[in-house]
Amino acid sequence: IAAHPADGEAHRLLARALSEQKKPSTEIRQALEKAEALQPGDADGRRDLAGMLDRQAQEAISADNPDKAIPLWKRCLALKFKPRQTEKQLAEAYRRQGEQRAAAGKPAEAEKSFREAVALLPDNPVPRLDLARLLMDGDRLVEAQRELKELTDAHPNFEAGLVAYAHLLRRMGDVRGATKQVERVLEYAPGNPEALALQKDLANTVPIRQAAEPAAAFDEPDPDTLQELTRLESTGDPAAQQAFLERYLAMHPEAAWAKLRQAMLYERMGKSEDALALLETYLAGSPEDFRARFLHARCLLSTGRTAEALSALKALETDNRANHQVQDEIGLAYAKLGKFNEARAAWKRIIAANPTFAPSLFNLAQLAMEQGMADEARDWFDQALRQDPSNPKYRYFAGLNLKQAGMEPEARAVWESGKAYLTPSDPYAARIAAALGKPLPQPAAAVPLTQPPAVESPAPVTPVTAAQPTSVGGVVVQPVAPAAADMADPGYQTALEAARAGRYAEAIKGFQEVLERYPAGFNARMNLGNVFMATNRPGEAAAQYLHAIRLEKNNPNALRALSRAYDELGLRGHAAGLVARADGKENAGGATTTRSNPRAFEPVTTALLANGLPEEALSIINAGVTENPDSPELIVLQGDVLTALRQDAQAETVYQRALALDAQNPTPMIRLGNLYAGRRQTDAAIAQYQAALKSPLIDPDAMFTIADQFTRLGRRTEATEVLSRLKGMNLSEAQLAKLHERTGTRAPAPAE
C-alpha cells in the first residue's frame, strides 16, 4: 500500500489481515472504506464492507443504541447486503429508537423516526404499525385510522395491524367496524388471544350515549350530513357551507357541533366578530373544549383584542394544552404587541422541536421581511413553501419579498410555479393572479396535479361508438374522436392496427411519427399512452395522457386513463381525485389524504420531464417530498425539476437540503456543481465535483459525468485523473466502452 496507495485490493486484504489479528473494528472498517472508495464496483469489497457494517450495527443494537445502528444498516441496504434480513433489522432499530424517544417525552422525535422508517421500508408493515400506535397514544385518532387503513389494505393478513385497527375503531365508537376487523383476524388465526378478548369485549358493548353525558357536548353529525359538509368544504365555496349550516341549525338549534363548525367557517371567512358570538354560546356549555378555546383566542387576536388573546392562549399553556399551533399564535400575539424578540423566540422554539412546522417558518419569514432582512426572509419562505407548496399566502409573500429586494424575475418564478394551486375563493390567489397579470384558473380537482395552461385545440369531439373496442394487454385501444386531423393521417391507422395486433414497438413508433406531424393529435396521444400501459410502462403512459388532458382539459376518457396509470404506479391519491373529476365531481376531496407508494414518484417524474412536462412533474415530486421529507433521492429529483423550470435559486436550496440529509451522497454534489457551472462559477463547480469524487458512495457512471464536466470546463488534467482512476475499477461492458471512447484507446477484440 505504501508503494501503491490506489490499490483497492491491497486495502481489502489488509482489512482481512487486521480482522484475523482481532484488531479494533475502526481500523478494519477504515481499510474497507478505502477499498470500496477505490474499487466501488468490486463485489468482494462491497460484501466485506457491508459485513463489517452489519457487525457494528449488531453490536450497537445489542448495546441498545439504535441511533448508531440505523445509519450502519442504511449503508448495508444501499450496498444491497442481505436486503430482506437488513430491512427486518432496520425496522426493529427504528422501533427501538422511536420507543426511546417517546419514553423520553419527545413524541415529535419519535414520530419522525417512525415516518422515516415507513418511507425507507414501504413494504414492511411494522414501521407503519409503530407510527399508528404512537398517533393513537397521542389521541390523533383520525391520523392513526388513515395509517392503519393503508396498512391493512396493503397487508390484509397482517394480524397485528388488523387487531390494532380493531382497537382503534373500538376506541372511536365504531363497534361494527371493530367487529368486522376482529372477524377478519379470526378467519385465518382463530386462536389469536388478543382478537378473542376484543371479540368478547365488543359483544358486551352497546353503542349508545350515556344519559349522564351532556348531549350538547358530545353530539356529532350523522354520516350523511358529514359527507355533505365534506363535499361542500372540498369545493372551496364558503357561501354554500354557510347556507347549509344555517339551514341545519334552523332545524336542529340544539346541535352544538354545528355551532362550532359554523364558528370555524366564519373565522376562515374573516367574520371574526360573528365567530366570537357563536363561540361564547358554545363555550358556555362546553367550557373545556380545546378547539373552541383555541379558536376563541384566534378570533380575539384577529379583532384587535390582542392582550385578551394572549391571556387566553397563556391559559391553554397553563393547562398543558399548548401544542405547536398554540405556541405559534402566542408568537403572533407578541408580534402584534411589538414584542418582536419574544415572538421570534417563540417561533424558533417550535422550529427547534419540529423543523417542518410551516406556520412558524412563514411567521419568521414575515418578521424578517418586515424588518428589512430580505435574505433571511427568503430562506424562511423557501422552507415554509417546501412544507406547504400549495399555500397561496406563503407563495404570495415569498414572491413579494423577492420583488421588494429587486429580484422581480425570481418573484415571478415563485408565483408562476404556484399556478396550479390558485382558486378564486382565496384572496392571496387573487393577489398572485393580479401580480402576474393573468386571470385566475377555474377551480380544479383536489388532486396535487398541475393543471396545464389552456391549449388551442379543435372543438370537443364525440367518442366513437360505431367501432368495437379492441383490448390490447387489457387496455382498450380505439379511436377517441372521429373527425380529428391525426386520424386522417395514414400512419395513424397503420399504428392502430399494429397495436391491435400486439406489435407494440411498431405501434409506438407509428404514433410518435403521427405526433411529429400533428402535435395536437388527441387520439394519437391517447392510444400511444394505451400501448405504453399494455407494455407495462405506466410512467410513459401518464405523460401521454397528461398531454391529452392539455388538449381536452375535462375529457373523461383521458382523466380515467391517467387515473389508471397513476394507480398502477402507486399514486393512489392522484388516481382517486381524477376518477372523481371524471365523474363530474369537480372538487371531490380526499386525494391529498391518501399516501402514495414512495417508489412511485421517481418513474413518473422522470417520464414527465423527458416528455416536456416540467410543471406537471413539479406537482408530482412536490407531493412525493411532502409525503417523504427525509428521502434524499426524491429531494434531488425535486431539484432536477426546478432546474428544468430554470428556478436555479430554489433548486440550489433543494440540493443543499438533500446534502444535509445525506452528507456522503455524491448526487446532490454533482447537481450543485452543474448549477454552478451553468452560472460560470467555475471554482465553486470544481469544488463540488472534487467533493463528490471523495465520497465512498460514488459509482463509475457518476465519475464519467464528472470527467465530462471537467472537460467542458477546460480542466483536462482533472478529467484525465478521473479517467485514470476509472481504469483500475471493475467496469461493465458499457462502462468500458465509455472509457475507451474518452481515452481514445481501442477496446480489446472479443475472444473467438
Side-chain angles (χ1 to χ4, degrees), residues 286-603:
S286 305
E288 296 304 316
D289 189 305
F290 169 76
R291 297 169 301 170
R293 290 174 66 188
F294 176 60
L295 189 62
H296 185 253
R298 281 176 59 104
C299 291
L300 289 171
L301 194 60
S302 62
T303 54
R305 296 155 66 178
T306 308
E308 292 178 65
L310 184 58
S311 177
L313 292 164
K314 287 287 188 180
L316 287 170
E317 192 175 43
T318 303
D319 293 345
N320 294 319
R321 306 294 296 277
N323 57 19
H324 289 334
Q325 287 181 304
V326 173
Q327 295 288 356
D328 188 65
E329 292 292 326
I330 289 174
L332 284 171
Y334 278 135
K336 287 197 173 188
L337 291 170
K339 298 180 178 180
F340 300 122
N341 291 335
E342 290 88 339
R344 188 187 299 272
W347 291 326
K348 286 198 170 181
R349 278 196 300 271
I350 297 170
I351 298 306
N354 182 3
T356 64
F357 190 72
S360 292
L361 292 168
F362 171 74
N363 287 329
L364 282 165
Q366 270 209 312
L367 181 59
M369 177 181 167
E370 290 171 6
Q371 293 180 337
M373 297 182 287
D375 290 340
E376 180 184 338
R378 182 181 182 184
D379 181 55
W380 290 119
F381 279 129
D382 285 346
Q383 292 185 57
L385 279 172
R386 281 200 295 273
Q387 303 307 322
D388 191 359
S390 63
N391 192 310
K393 182 177 180 181
Y394 294 3
R395 194 167 292 279
Y396 171 72
F397 281 104
L400 185 61
N401 176 62
L402 292 168
K403 186 174 181 179
Q404 290 177 352
M407 304 170 69
E408 189 150 347
E410 289 85 349
R412 290 188 66 85
V414 169
W415 289 331
E416 286 278 1
S417 64
K419 288 188 298 183
Y421 308 118
L422 305 186
T423 57
S425 61
D426 191 290
Y428 292 100
R431 294 187 191 184
I432 291 174
L436 292 172
K438 299 178 181 179
L440 278 172
Q442 293 301 310
V447 186
L449 167 70
T450 303
Q451 293 301 327
V455 179
E456 292 186 9
S457 59
V461 288
T462 308
V464 169
T465 55
Q468 293 296 316
T470 303
S471 178
V472 175
V475 179
V476 173
V477 178
Q478 66 174 14
V480 180
D486 56 349
M487 290 179 62
D489 189 306
Y492 175 87
Q493 291 300 328
T494 303
L496 195 61
E497 290 168 8
R500 288 171 172 164
R503 302 193 305 274
Y504 299 135
E506 182 184 336
I508 290 170
K509 183 180 178 183
F511 285 129
Q512 288 174 337
E513 288 174 351
V514 172
L515 287 168
E516 288 177 7
R517 294 186 286 271
Y518 300 98
F522 179 87
N523 298 284
R525 290 280 180 203
M526 287 294 295
N527 283 321
L528 179 55
N530 290 342
V531 176
F532 281 137
M533 283 293 286
T535 53
N536 197 28
R537 294 160 67 181
E540 292 289 329
Q544 297 305 320
Y545 296 144
L546 275 166
H547 273 301
I549 290 171
R550 278 192 169 190
L551 299 168
E552 295 285 346
K553 181 179 175 183
N554 293 311
N555 186 291
N557 292 328
L559 292 169
R560 288 194 178 91
L562 181 58
S563 175
R564 285 195 302 272
Y566 281 160
D567 189 62
E568 183 73 20
L569 286 158
L571 298 173
R572 301 181 185 91
H574 297 67
L578 287 163
V579 169
R581 185 172 155 200
D583 291 339
K585 300 172 183 176
E586 180 67 12
N587 286 287
T592 57
T593 65
T594 304
R595 285 183 63 83
S596 299
N597 184 339
R599 298 175 185 176
F601 294 101
E602 188 275 332

Side-chain angles (χ1 to χ4, degrees), residues 28-56:
I28 303 169
R29 180 177 170 183
Q30 185 177 11
L32 289 170
E33 292 277 16
K34 188 69 176 177
E36 168 64 13
L38 292 168
Q39 289 184 307
D42 181 57
D44 291 337
R46 289 170 69 92
R47 185 189 63 248
D48 289 351
L49 174 59
M52 180 76 247
L53 296 171
D54 181 61
R55 287 192 295 276
Q56 289 186 330

Side-chain angles (χ1 to χ4, degrees), residues 270-278 299 302-303 305:
K271 300 180 178 181
S272 297
E273 293 288 357
D274 293 334
L276 277 172
L278 279 171
C299 291
S302 62
T303 54
R305 296 155 66 178

Side-chain angles (χ1 to χ4, degrees), residues 378 381-386 389 394-395 398-399 402 407 409-418 618 622 635-636 638-643 645-658 672 675 679:
R378 182 181 182 184
F381 279 129
D382 285 346
Q383 292 185 57
L385 279 172
R386 281 200 295 273
Y394 294 3
R395 194 167 292 279
L402 292 168
M407 304 170 69
E410 289 85 349
R412 290 188 66 85
V414 169
W415 289 331
E416 286 278 1
S417 64
L618 182 62
N622 280 348
I635 293 171
V636 167
Q638 185 183 40
D640 293 345
V641 177
L642 290 166
T643 301
L645 288 165
R646 298 186 178 180
Q647 297 179 25
D648 288 357
Q650 290 176 295
E652 181 179 357
T653 302
V654 169
Y655 290 140
Q656 293 284 8
R657 181 182 169 206
L672 283 168
L675 270 181
R679 297 177 188 167

Side-chain angles (χ1 to χ4, degrees), residues 628-637 658-659 661-662 665 668:
N628 306 278
D630 297 323
S631 170
E633 294 76 18
L634 291 183
I635 293 171
V636 167
L637 192 54
L659 204 54
L661 287 172
D662 187 355
N665 189 339

